[in-house]
Amino acid sequence: MYRLLFVDDEALIRVGVSENVHWHQYGYELAGSCENGKEALEFIRSSPVDIVITDIGMPYMNGLELSERLKEEYPEIKIIILSGYDDFDYAKKAIRYGVRDYLLKPITAQELGEVLDRLRQEMDKEREIKKNISLMRAASHKGQLLLYSDALYNLITGNKTMSESRHDLNEAGINLAAAVFCVAVVRFAPVIKVDIALMSFILHNISQEIISGYQGGVVCQGKDAEVYLLFMSDKLGELQRIIDVVCEEIIVQMNRAAHLKVNIGMGGLKEQLGDIPRSYEEAEEAYAYHYISDQNQVLKIKEIRAKKKPAAVEEAIKTLMLHMRENDNRKMTEDIAALAAILRSSFYDRQSAGTVLQRIVDAADEILKRSEIKEIPENLNKESVLQRILSAVSLPAAFTVLTVYCRELAECLDRQRSPVNRKVVDLAMDYIEKNHADCELNLNAVCSYLNISPSRFSAIFKAATDTTFLEVLNGIRMQKAKDLLIHTDMKNYEIAGRVGFNDPHYFGIAFKKFTGKTPTEYARDEKANKFTQRT
């Protein structure tokens, strides 16, 4: 029998639901009813319950606030929201707070009973799993189960010599006769306030059931929450098919049964029993790249090594710094997304990606130091920002912190700039953008348009953009040239004239200096890349 608390600020609803739902029929005891979230929280602290059914709109503490507090303080309590708000934002918040069901009023006693019956069955299964964990833990310390687990663990991780491992395998009655082997490491994503032992048990059981169903190998529990899969077969092609199917099913079943996302690191195929530890090392190496990937991924070492390459990030960082000085949030967001995509496609691990992230923060901090800001705000402290970025659980999380930092720094710089100087720079940038194709455009022309001396303009422009007029002009012209090379069939000399170069030869030299490629090489490579992406 599970204890249930009903929370609603309307007395008639509290009485009606309490009297019309046959609680015992569905396996529940109505422990009490409260008229707001604050009263419910006090009730739970003195009288624990298993389930809370709550309305949203209530005084003192509403249903969503109550759900948030319960998730923090009593994560084991199941929550059902019974509300008249058919609002997607409410539903999203409810999901974030771990609400199991979001039901819209009006609802009949039978409909509510069906939801409660389904939830009781789920809780019965959870109790059974917890009971099995206790039994398994007791059994794992003695007999064949311990021998089996230790023998596989030591073989896979290479903790013992091959001679010792062969002896342990024989003692445990494990036959690993096969022509080809492969090790995979399976871990679930970190989750706050989750029963790690329970989730680890579920992961092991699901993995064992699936791999046994395909007769594809054996499963071993790691020392932490991970599970090791040792795939084996006499046929290489068959093993590769089994590996893909088993890994996909483990991910799907963990998502459904435990609501957990998992990542799988896959080592290389080995033909000798003695090479299994090497496959395990490769699996751990592959798994490390979950930092840059989404969840629910199978990361194969062979594919990673084939795709891993140095990332060209210099130009992207410079562009981000330029847009940060301009306080252009949209372009900064695009720049950061582009940088993240570069690191992902180049398969940067945590350490390599961290180096790039640190370079970005260093460059931004240097701009901050060169500004006229006398006292740097605490939220822009370089060491604090770096610590938060480098300790993020994933690359997307790290770039989220970086995005906030860049925006706050840009706003800080913008507040400190003189409005007059800002206007001068904005007018100059607009003039350059509109007249970049004019071969006669130069510093004096811009200063004449703004009615300001070249020396004064140069000082204002440098302080605001941390670059020179010529660098900006050349950058705009080169960007326009790149667009024309990709999207038109114009000749190089035509493009040169279109972007403000009288001499096509000098245009070619300037373009190669800017991009590292000649115009012809750049157009050929970019069009080839687009063709590859389409196919």
Side-chain angles (χ1 to χ4, degrees):
M1 194 72 68
Y2 297 99
R3 287 170 53 79
L4 182 147
L5 177 66
F6 186 75
V7 189
D8 197 300
D9 62 331
E10 295 185 34
L12 288 176
I13 293 179
R14 290 200 305 274
V15 173
V17 171
S18 300
E19 294 180 353
N20 292 321
V21 177
H22 302 296
W23 304 104
H24 288 270
Q25 175 183 332
Y26 301 109
Y28 296 89
E29 170 196 350
L30 183 61
S33 60
C34 299
E35 63 181 24
N36 58 62
K38 182 179 179 182
E39 183 179 319
L41 203 57
E42 293 172 354
F43 181 97
I44 292 169
R45 284 170 178 161
S46 61
S47 183
V49 298
D50 301 294
I51 296 179
V52 171
I53 301 178
T54 179
D55 187 18
I56 288 184
M58 299 180 294
Y60 304 110
M61 181 187 293
N62 65 38
L64 290 176
E65 291 169 339
L66 173 61
S67 299
E68 183 178 14
R69 293 289 297 274
L70 291 177
K71 182 182 179 182
E72 293 174 354
E73 299 181 26
Y74 306 97
E76 70 281 0
I77 292 180
K78 315 299 182 187
I79 306 169
I80 296 175
I81 283 185
L82 185 60
S83 173
Y85 295 98
D86 187 8
D87 189 298
F88 183 63
D89 287 334
Y90 281 129
K92 285 196 299 184
K93 288 184 179 179
I95 292 172
R96 189 163 69 246
Y97 300 150
V99 172
R100 299 301 295 269
D101 280 286
Y102 188 101
L103 308 178
L104 293 176
K105 298 177 182 177
I107 186 171
T108 66
Q110 181 180 348
E111 290 172 338
L112 180 58
E114 290 172 356
V115 172
L116 291 171
D117 187 60
R118 185 177 68 249
L119 187 55
R120 177 190 55 76
Q121 293 178 35
E122 292 179 11
M123 291 192 295
D124 286 345
K125 289 180 181 179
E126 290 180 4
R127 282 189 173 180
E128 184 65 24
I129 288 173
K130 290 180 179 179
K131 179 181 177 182
N132 289 339
I133 285 179
S134 299
L135 296 174
M136 186 175 179
R137 283 174 175 168
S140 67
H141 292 290
K142 59 183 179 180
Q144 195 70 11
L145 185 59
L146 183 59
L147 288 174
Y148 183 94
S149 179
D150 283 352
L152 282 178
Y153 177 81
N154 290 324
L155 169 68
I156 291 171
T157 58
N159 282 353
K160 289 188 176 183
T161 66
M162 187 49 55
S163 175
E164 291 172 328
S165 285
R166 288 183 186 277
H167 175 269
D168 291 346
L169 292 172
N170 289 333
E171 286 289 310
I174 303 173
N175 180 16
L176 298 182
V180 61
F181 304 91
C182 181
V183 176
V185 177
V186 189
R187 293 187 178 93
F188 51 81
V191 181
I192 299 174
K193 292 190 177 180
V194 68
D195 188 332
I196 299 296
L198 174 61
M199 295 303 106
S200 180
F201 175 79
I202 294 174
L203 175 59
H204 180 276
N205 275 14
I206 287 176
S207 301
Q208 180 71 62
E209 180 179 342
I210 293 173
I211 202 170
S212 297
Y214 287 96
Q215 297 181 337
V218 291
V219 176
C220 170
Q221 183 73 55
K223 296 303 182 185
D224 294 316
E226 71 275 351
V227 165
Y228 302 140
L229 312 178
L230 177 56
F231 293 98
M232 54 187 184
S233 176
D234 288 327
K235 298 178 181 179
L236 176 59
E238 180 68 11
L239 182 63
Q240 290 176 326
R241 184 190 69 82
I242 290 174
I243 287 173
D244 291 339
V245 173
V246 168
C247 290
E248 180 64 26
E249 287 196 18
I250 288 174
I251 290 173
V252 171
Q253 290 300 321
M254 282 299 293
N255 289 178
R256 288 178 180 172
H259 306 291
L260 286 178
K261 296 180 179 180
V262 300
N263 286 307
I264 302 176
M266 185 71 59
L269 301 176
K270 306 300 177 185
E271 296 180 355
Q272 301 295 326
L273 196 68
D275 290 331
I276 288 176
R278 177 58 185 156
S279 182
Y280 161 70
E281 292 172 0
E282 293 170 345
E284 289 286 11
E285 179 184 340
Y287 181 83
Y289 287 88
H290 80 281
Y291 173 75
I292 64 168
S293 68
D294 296 324
Q295 300 294 344
N296 291 332
Q297 296 293 310
V298 180
L299 303 159
K300 299 180 178 180
I301 191 63
K302 183 178 180 180
E303 295 179 0
I304 290 172
R305 289 176 175 174
K307 296 178 181 178
K308 187 175 175 61
K309 60 184 178 181
V313 297
E314 291 299 333
E315 186 175 342
I317 294 176
K318 289 180 181 178
T319 303
L320 172 60
M321 295 302 107
L322 175 62
H323 292 151
M324 187 172 65
R325 284 190 291 264
E326 295 172 355
N327 194 20
D328 191 326
N329 282 338
R330 181 182 64 81
K331 289 185 177 179
M332 279 193 294
T333 301
E334 292 174 355
D335 295 338
I336 291 173
L339 278 163
I342 290 172
L343 297 186
R344 282 196 299 271
S345 64
S346 301
F347 276 89
Y348 267 39
D349 58 17
R350 176 185 283 273
Q351 182 176 354
S352 301
T355 300
V356 174
L357 290 165
Q358 183 160 356
R359 285 166 58 191
I360 296 172
V361 175
D362 286 342
D365 189 65
E366 186 62 29
I367 293 173
L368 187 62
K369 289 178 178 177
R370 290 181 182 178
S371 70
E372 299 177 358
I373 298 174
K374 295 180 180 180
E375 187 174 342
I376 296 176
E378 181 60 33
N379 62 317
L380 299 180
N381 178 270
K382 175 183 173 181
E383 286 70 25
S384 175
V385 171
L386 269 178
Q387 191 277 329
R388 284 185 281 126
I389 289 176
L390 299 180
S391 62
V393 297
S394 65
L395 187 65
F399 271 107
T400 297
V401 178
L402 178 66
T403 300
V404 173
Y405 168 66
C406 289
R407 288 180 175 179
E408 291 177 343
L409 193 152
E411 291 173 1
C412 183
L413 291 173
D414 210 42
R415 288 194 299 269
Q416 291 296 317
R417 295 190 185 107
S418 163
V420 175
N421 289 355
R422 181 70 257 175
K423 185 176 181 180
V424 167
V425 173
D426 289 343
L427 289 171
M429 295 295 287
D430 182 68
Y431 188 84
I432 295 169
E433 180 69 26
K434 291 178 179 177
N435 297 277
H436 69 274
D438 184 356
C439 299
E440 301 298 323
L441 180 62
N442 56 30
L443 177 63
N444 288 332
V446 174
C447 291
S448 177
Y449 166 72
L450 296 173
N451 194 27
I452 189 174
S453 71
S455 60
R456 174 63 178 160
F457 171 79
S458 296
I460 293 173
F461 196 87
K462 179 71 173 178
T465 66
D466 197 34
T467 188
T468 66
F469 162 81
L470 286 177
E471 287 173 338
V472 170
L473 175 59
N474 192 51
I476 291 174
R477 285 174 167 171
M478 290 301 105
Q479 189 58 53
K480 300 293 183 182
K482 287 178 3 182
D483 291 341
L484 292 172
L485 285 166
I486 295 172
H487 301 296
T488 73
D489 294 320
M490 295 173 65
K491 303 296 183 182
N492 289 349
Y493 72 87
E494 295 175 313
I495 293 176
R498 184 71 67 87
V499 298
F501 286 84
N502 278 327
D503 185 350
H505 178 68
Y506 178 68
F507 164 69
I509 294 173
F511 189 91
K512 185 169 185 180
K513 183 178 180 181
F514 187 82
T515 65
K517 299 178 181 179
T518 66
T520 302
E521 290 170 343
Y522 181 85
R524 181 193 64 213
D525 292 347
E526 289 300 311
K527 289 177 180 178
N529 287 339
K530 287 197 170 187
F531 177 79
T532 301
Q533 292 172 1
R534 287 198 299 270
T535 57

